[in-house]
Amino acid sequence: MRQKINFCTSQDGVCIAYATAGRGPPLMRVGGWMTHVEHDWDSPIWQHWLRELTREHTLARFDMRGSGLSDHEVAEQGVEVWLQDLEAVANALGWRRFPLVGICQGGAVAAAYAARHPERVSKLVLYNAYAHGGYTSDIPEYKTEEARALEEMIKVGWGRRHGAFREVFARLMSPREAGDQVAWWAELQRITTEPETAVQLWHAFHAVDIRHQLDKVRAPTLVVHIKGDQMVPFEMGRELAAHIDGAHFLPLEGKSHILQPDDPGWPIFVSEFRRFLTNQGSDQPAPPPEFKSLTGRERAVLEVVAQGLSNQAIAEHLSIAPKTARNHISNICSKLEITSRAQLIVRAREAGFGDH
């Protein structure tokens, strides 16, 4: 499997890098503290996650402004501009409605996006996320002091090949004896952003406060939190779930901030995540009987045809050749006894296709 890396421009002119991989219906992931869409692809931390998220979906993920392949020199950080970046990526992809997965700090961005754009988010998964950071009200004083201490360490230790901060940060993310993971986190620090921007991001993450927006989230929501997570306290995840109407809370055993394949919570997470994705939309009306003759691939093609995409765009979206896309559309028209593309789009929209 390969990924495609593209760029789009946010509302204030910042260039945002995003990557897509996999096949099937759309799935958007909003990452947190550090991402690098190219470097993460072969990561010992993320490989199993990327395999799972692309198993039956076209996964999109992007580098937050100031990091990875996105623009590094930016004037502003915070939820409002991060929402604009997410909006820019979704618009560049042409996705009208999609499930949204927010990880750690990205969870606050995903939840705020779902609150602002209920018509575009079909479901919401929040992993080790929080609604307000260490520099906001109602946070225990020791957590605020801890955040400030780490901010000072970032100023002097970020990106160094050796030193205390490199070890402290890596152990918070991966509290185990895994040399490849520690080395990978250290390398990610070096390549993803500069020390000054790392400080800016850290401060902005801890200034996040979306508590007043949670009552506007309408999408079915799954909140997942690792009991032993050392980056985001378990209680923060429980509080987040309690303030989203109807949210399902999934506590999992483990200590790794990013679940690894041998963590006890990983197989449970995979099972519950798949079930949550599958159940979403189960209350939608079934398409007319004549659509049952279509294959799974033809249904996937019809989904994007109904969105008005050209053959070239369909080919790029599904990672197939334009000729293959054209042949699929011809077969669909034949099975449904439809003679024009316009008629096909109308019939598909009436049957519920094209809503993702």
Side-chain angles (χ1 to χ4, degrees):
M1 185 176 61
R2 294 182 298 174
Q3 66 171 348
K4 285 186 176 182
I5 298 175
N6 295 95
F7 299 88
C8 62
T9 303
S10 194
Q11 186 173 315
D12 60 354
V14 173
C15 181
I16 302 297
Y18 66 95
T20 54
R23 297 180 178 180
L27 176 64
M28 180 80 76
R29 191 206 76 172
V30 185
W33 175 219
M34 292 191 300
T35 65
H36 192 295
V37 290
E38 181 183 21
H39 188 62
D40 291 354
W41 189 246
D42 297 316
S43 161
I45 307 293
W46 288 111
Q47 276 186 338
H48 55 292
W49 277 77
L50 295 175
R51 282 197 301 269
E52 184 58 37
L53 296 179
T54 57
R55 184 182 299 277
E56 296 178 347
H57 292 82
T58 299
L59 173 69
R61 52 193 231 286
F62 62 95
D63 286 333
M64 187 167 285
R65 58 173 56 209
S67 64
L69 295 180
S70 294
D71 279 353
H72 283 205
E73 295 184 7
V74 297
E76 187 178 358
Q77 295 284 7
V79 173
E80 191 59 37
V81 292
W82 299 333
L83 283 174
Q84 293 172 13
D85 297 345
L86 174 52
E87 289 167 354
V89 173
N91 291 338
L93 290 164
W95 290 359
R96 296 172 54 199
R97 188 167 170 82
F98 48 88
L100 194 53
V101 180
I103 296 178
C104 195
Q105 295 89 358
V109 181
Y113 184 89
R116 181 172 297 186
H117 298 287
E119 77 286 354
R120 298 191 75 168
V121 180
S122 60
K123 89 180 70 174
L124 182 63
V125 179
L126 304 175
Y127 171 89
N128 279 356
Y130 59 90
H132 61 123
Y135 297 156
T136 61
S137 61
D138 301 325
I139 287 288
E141 185 177 353
Y142 80 93
K143 293 303 297 182
T144 300
E145 292 176 352
E146 182 180 278
R148 287 175 178 155
L150 284 170
E151 184 172 326
E152 291 300 316
M153 293 184 71
I154 292 171
K155 290 179 181 178
V156 298
W158 183 265
R160 293 186 178 182
R161 295 187 181 276
H162 305 284
F165 177 76
R166 174 184 181 275
E167 294 295 325
V168 168
F169 184 78
R171 295 302 177 187
L172 286 172
M173 302 293 281
S174 299
R176 56 172 63 206
E177 294 301 324
D180 61 334
Q181 293 189 13
V182 173
W184 185 83
W185 284 120
E187 177 66 6
L188 183 61
Q189 289 177 38
R190 188 182 68 81
I191 69 171
T192 193
T193 197
E194 296 74 26
E196 298 78 10
T197 307
V199 171
Q200 184 186 28
L201 279 167
W202 181 266
H203 193 91
F205 287 146
H206 283 281
V208 163
D209 191 346
I210 62 161
R211 285 174 288 184
H212 62 289
Q213 301 180 48
L214 296 179
D215 63 349
K216 298 181 179 67
V217 174
R218 296 291 179 265
T221 303
L222 173 66
V223 179
V224 182
H225 215 98
I226 310 305
K227 293 180 180 179
D229 183 24
Q230 297 184 48
M231 288 296 290
V232 182
F234 178 76
E235 183 61 24
M236 300 291 285
R238 193 195 68 81
E239 178 187 354
L240 176 63
H243 286 85
I244 297 177
D245 187 35
H248 173 56
F249 185 54
L250 178 62
L252 293 175
E253 299 293 336
K255 294 183 178 180
S256 298
H257 182 59
I258 306 301
L259 277 172
Q260 298 302 295
D262 56 349
D263 283 329
W266 174 249
I268 300 173
F269 169 72
V270 169
S271 175
E272 291 298 316
F273 181 73
R274 290 180 185 173
R275 181 178 294 112
F276 184 68
L277 290 179
T278 302
N279 288 345
Q280 173 63 21
S282 59
D283 58 345
Q284 298 295 317
E290 62 266 29
F291 286 84
K292 293 183 179 180
S293 65
L294 302 182
T295 66
R297 171 54 75 184
E298 287 169 346
R299 285 172 177 265
V301 170
L302 188 57
E303 178 68 36
V304 286
V305 168
Q307 295 174 18
L309 272 64
S310 66
N311 286 357
Q312 181 64 42
I314 291 170
E316 293 176 358
H317 184 77
L318 297 176
S319 299
I320 58 178
K323 181 179 179 181
T324 304
R326 185 171 62 251
N327 290 339
H328 279 309
I329 294 170
S330 177
N331 290 337
I332 293 169
C333 288
S334 177
K335 288 182 178 181
L336 299 180
E337 298 182 351
I338 290 174
T339 57
S340 72
R341 191 185 190 96
Q343 184 184 3
L344 177 61
I345 292 174
V346 171
R347 288 277 299 278
R349 295 292 300 173
E350 290 175 346
F353 290 90
D355 288 334
H356 297 291

